[in-house]
């Protein structure tokens, strides 16, 4: 296999990626010699599985991209400690209502304008006005205003204490853009090539194929947990979009790409044995879960929700399809990598078909039709489960949902699986109570504060379209609000655990598996790591050897 770390970018090559499965090198990675030499420069050929609409935005797929070109105020270390990035230091007032951030000196955006407190304050207002939908829902209900105290000192004023603000600001939804660019460029320009102070800049975007990122030679603002200081080691990243996992894997084996994202579970052991570097990050926040429609349809009845949970052998299903790579997750509130995780909530429902049948009988679903599905008053126990196919749910996730469909049939549930294309899913298809009975999906986060986004009441005066169970309960909301403002971390985590257990007690949502961010990297590419807020690839420190 030819290894050429200084290969020049060929946009045309991206278009033939789909044929690479036919030309894969059967031998896999042989690995560099022990005395391999470091090579300066070069282009990283990287295969990613999904193409977002914009580089910066509220979806994790955008966060992975924007991490390369935009910087945040804070970063997270491996142990979850918040460390400096654009902010050298920060503190909260005694009442928790004002946060003060001191910014690094002499940082410039790539358009030549200075990074000042005024520019950062502008970004806060931009997010809250809809510039980033995920940043907006994190801060709504807490953010009051941001102001520049002086050139390098920012004050953020809150309406209620939010002790984990600095943690949350490490997510790329809170990345900082040039104020001048946001004010003077078109929305399309800022969508396709946002201006930040990051290690790379967007050179070009060939829709449907790739995005080319080039090195910012003037980069001065690396985070405290970067592996080296100074500009990136490589000259370019050819960030290719390759939806099929088999094609991505074959391209890596054929030395056509240097790294890939979303390693198929079935390929994990083989790639590892062939000498490729593998990494996986269990995403904190809401896991891949099923939340039940509590206002319309059969799952209004708590007994029916519990019966569905008991009808599934979720752990065996995930272990079988996930090959020991994808972690099973029973908790419907947060994933096992999230601070404040409740194992009690995760253990609430194990497979028990007898219990499922008893609960359905008690709920009046006592008859069975010719196909084995439960009926009541002449109606079939038919439940609609749409999912974002190829976006929110990957191929392995779709297989797990098919297993859910089969397992639930044993108790008499007729599950109608509906794969929803990206364009329809993000346009709001199947988002209302009359359209679905179960919602499948995840939300990445760094704290259990994600519970506030997912379970805040959806009221006329304060809509919450992220409450996928349509469940309005002031008791649950008050628990989460108390946790969000509790400064003592142990007490905070205890309150979050209570909220998860409340969700489990009422069978409002059940977990399936933890969302992974995974990478496979050529042994000829070193220094690639996963950032600790969302698990995205970091290429600032990467370099080639030969």
């Amino acid at each position: 296999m030819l290894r050429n770390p200084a290969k020049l970018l060929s946009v045309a090559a991206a278009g033939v990626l789909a044929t690479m499965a036919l030309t894969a090198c059967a031998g896999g990675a042989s690995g560099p010699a022990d005395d391999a030499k470091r090579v300066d420069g070069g282009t990283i050929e990287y295969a990613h599985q999904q193409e977002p609409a914009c580089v910066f935005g509220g979806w994790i797929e955008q966060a992975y991209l924007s991490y390369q070109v935009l910087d945040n105020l804070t970063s997270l270390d491996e142990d979850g400690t918040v460390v400096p990035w654009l902010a050298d230091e920060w503190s909260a007032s005694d009442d928790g209502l004002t946060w003060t951030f001191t910014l690094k000196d002499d940082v410039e955006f790539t358009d030549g304008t200075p990074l000042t407190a005024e520019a950062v304050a502008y970004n806060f207002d931009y997010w809250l006005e809809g510039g980033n939908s995920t940043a907006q829902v994190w801060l709504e209900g807490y953010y009051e205003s941001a102001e520049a105290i002086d050139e390098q000192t920012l004050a953020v004023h809150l309406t209620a204490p939010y002790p984990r603000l600095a943690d949350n600001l490490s997510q790329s939804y809170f990345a900082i853009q040039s104020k001048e660019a946001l004010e003077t460029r078109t929305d399309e320009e800022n969508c396709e090539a946002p201006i930040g102070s990051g290690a790379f800049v967007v050179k070009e975007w060939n829709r449907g194929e790739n995005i080319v990122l080039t090195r910012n030679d003037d980069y001065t603002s690396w985070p405290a947990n970067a592996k080296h200081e100074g500009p990136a080691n490589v000259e370019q990243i050819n960030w290719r979009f390759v939806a099929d996992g088999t094609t991505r894997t074959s391209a890596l084996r054929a030395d056509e790409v240097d790294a890939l994202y979303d390693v198929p579970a079935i390929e994990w052991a083989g790639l590892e044995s062939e000498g490729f570097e593998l990494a996986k990050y269990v995403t904190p926040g809401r896991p891949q879960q099923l939340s039940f429609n509590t206002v319309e349809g059969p799952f209004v009845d708590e007994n029916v929700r519990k019966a569905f949970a008991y009808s599934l052998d979720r752990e065996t299903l995930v272990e079988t399809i996930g090959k020991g790579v994808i972690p099973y997750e029973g908790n419907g509130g947060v994933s096992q990598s999230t601070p404040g995780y409740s194992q009690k909530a995760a253990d609430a429902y194990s497979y028990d078909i007898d219990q499922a049948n008893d609960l359905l009988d008690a709920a009046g679903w006592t008859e069975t039709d010719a196909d084995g599905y439960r009926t009541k008053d002449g109606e079939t126990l038919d439940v609609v489960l749409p999912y974002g196919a190829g976006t929110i749910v990957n191929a392995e996730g779709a297989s797990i949902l098919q297993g859910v469909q089969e397992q639930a049939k044993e108790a008499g549930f007729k599950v109608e699986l509906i794969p929803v294309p990206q364009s329809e899913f993000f346009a709001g298809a199947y988002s209302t109570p009359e359209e679905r009975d179960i919602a499948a999906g995840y939300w990445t986060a760094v704290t259990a504060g994600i519970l506030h986004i997912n379970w805040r009441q959806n009221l006329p005066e304060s809509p919450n379209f992220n409450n996928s169970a349509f469940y309005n309960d002031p008791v649950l909301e008050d628990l989460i609000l108390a946790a969000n403002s509790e400064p003592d971390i142990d007490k905070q985590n205890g309150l979050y655990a209570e909220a998860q257990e409340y969700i489990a007690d009422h069978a409002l949502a059940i977990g399936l598996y933890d969302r992974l961010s995974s990478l496979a990297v050529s042994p000829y590419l070193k220094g690639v790591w996963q950032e600790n807020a969302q698990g995205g690839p970091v290429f600032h420190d990467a370099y080639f050897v030969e």
Side-chain angles (χ1 to χ4, degrees), residues 400-413:
I400 290 170
L401 290 179
Q402 290 162 9
V404 166
Q405 181 185 48
E406 289 300 313
Q407 289 185 348
K409 184 177 180 180
E410 185 181 3
F413 288 94

Side-chain angles (χ1 to χ4, degrees), residues 378-452:
E379 296 292 328
T380 302
L381 186 52
D382 192 338
V383 297
V384 176
L385 199 175
Y387 64 96
T391 51
I392 303 302
V393 176
N394 64 9
E396 291 155 338
S399 295
I400 290 170
L401 290 179
Q402 290 162 9
V404 166
Q405 181 185 48
E406 289 300 313
Q407 289 185 348
K409 184 177 180 180
E410 185 181 3
F413 288 94
K414 184 178 181 179
V415 179
E416 183 182 354
L417 280 180
I418 302 176
V420 184
Q422 177 175 330
S423 58
E424 295 179 31
F425 188 85
F426 288 119
Y430 297 97
S431 60
T432 60
E434 63 272 12
E435 292 179 300
R436 68 164 191 252
D437 298 297
I438 304 176
Y442 66 88
W443 265 82
T444 65
V446 296
T447 74
I450 191 62
L451 292 166
H452 183 237

Side-chain angles (χ1 to χ4, degrees), residues 211-229:
I211 290 181
V212 182
L213 307 176
T214 57
R215 180 172 60 200
N216 174 11
D217 290 330
D218 298 319
Y219 187 49
T220 62
S221 50
W222 49 88
N225 54 352
K227 311 307 178 188
H228 87 287
E229 297 182 355

Side-chain angles (χ1 to χ4, degrees), residues 54-56 66 69-70 110 177-178 181-182 185 188-196 200-202 205:
C54 295
V55 171
F56 177 76
S66 61
V69 300
L70 307 175
T110 55
Q177 297 181 66
S178 159
L182 291 174
R185 299 166 86 221
E188 183 178 359
E189 287 173 320
N190 288 320
C191 162
E192 295 193 346
I195 301 298
F200 296 90
V201 297
V202 178
W205 188 340

